[in-house]
Amino acid sequence: MARSQQTYSKGEKEKKRLKKREEKQKKKEARKAAAKEKGGGIEFAYVDHNGNLTDTPPDPSLKVEIEAEDIILGIPKKEEGDYEEVDPVRKGKVSFFDSSKGFGFIIDTENNEKYFTHVSGLIDEIVENDRVSFELEKGKKGMNAVRVKKI
């Protein structure tokens, strides 16, 4: 005689699956019943004049008419007076410099930021605690001090 293909664990899994399906169906029916009691309609969300979502309709008296020609797409062009003059030369103090390895660090006096400098970016020879003027340039790992001169 052949044995049944269905094992105990298969039967239990099937029962759990059917029970889960029934529970899901009951929850679905309960939601439908609650929606009928509540009114069954779709609730609306309105956007007020500030762009916020509300459940009350906006007041038509607060509506603002905007002409299509007044809408500017893109970045506005800068006028001559809009530019801010920034001095690219900064001042600082050499906090560390190793002449044998050819690199060091300069601390900016304005914002106390530490900038890396390399011997290739030096105009004058520098040592630790020298006051220097320098310019910043984007490097591989951040901003580097270049065109470094003693003050």
Side-chain angles (χ1 to χ4, degrees):
M1 288 222 301
R3 288 179 67 185
S4 171
Q5 292 293 328
Q6 193 157 357
T7 62
Y8 175 76
S9 63
K10 284 184 181 178
E12 289 295 314
K13 286 181 184 176
E14 184 68 21
K15 285 180 187 175
K16 282 184 182 178
R17 195 172 61 78
L18 289 173
K19 187 176 180 184
K20 204 173 199 181
R21 187 183 290 174
E22 286 176 14
E23 287 176 3
K24 191 174 181 181
Q25 188 66 29
K26 285 180 185 177
K27 286 181 184 176
K28 183 179 176 183
E29 290 171 4
R31 280 196 305 270
K32 281 185 180 180
K36 284 184 180 179
E37 289 176 13
K38 199 173 185 182
I42 300 172
E43 292 187 28
F44 287 98
Y46 300 97
V47 180
D48 64 2
H49 62 280
N50 293 324
N52 300 320
L53 293 176
T54 62
D55 56 353
T56 58
D59 186 11
S61 64
L62 297 175
K63 187 176 181 181
V64 178
E65 290 291 327
I66 298 173
E67 296 292 324
E69 295 83 33
D70 295 341
I71 300 173
I72 301 171
L73 298 177
I75 301 170
K77 296 190 178 187
K78 293 191 176 186
E79 303 291 325
E80 281 187 36
D82 291 347
Y83 292 106
E84 202 174 293
E85 290 297 320
V86 178
D87 187 19
V89 178
R90 304 172 79 97
K91 291 181 174 36
K93 182 179 173 184
V94 179
S95 66
F96 169 80
F97 190 78
D98 189 349
S99 56
S100 64
K101 293 187 179 178
F103 73 92
F105 295 95
I106 297 173
I107 296 177
D108 192 347
T109 53
E110 288 180 26
N111 56 11
N112 289 336
E113 289 277 332
K114 195 180 262 190
Y115 297 110
F116 174 83
T117 187
H118 190 263
V119 73
S120 62
L122 301 180
I123 295 174
D124 299 334
E125 284 193 26
I126 59 172
V127 292
E128 286 184 28
N129 297 323
D130 278 350
R131 294 245 169 244
V132 293
S133 65
F134 61 95
E135 294 179 25
L136 291 176
E137 202 172 80
K138 183 100 171 127
K140 287 183 181 178
K141 295 183 180 179
M143 299 303 281
N144 294 344
V146 293
R147 293 179 278 288
V148 180
K149 290 187 242 176
K150 263 191 197 180
I151 299 178

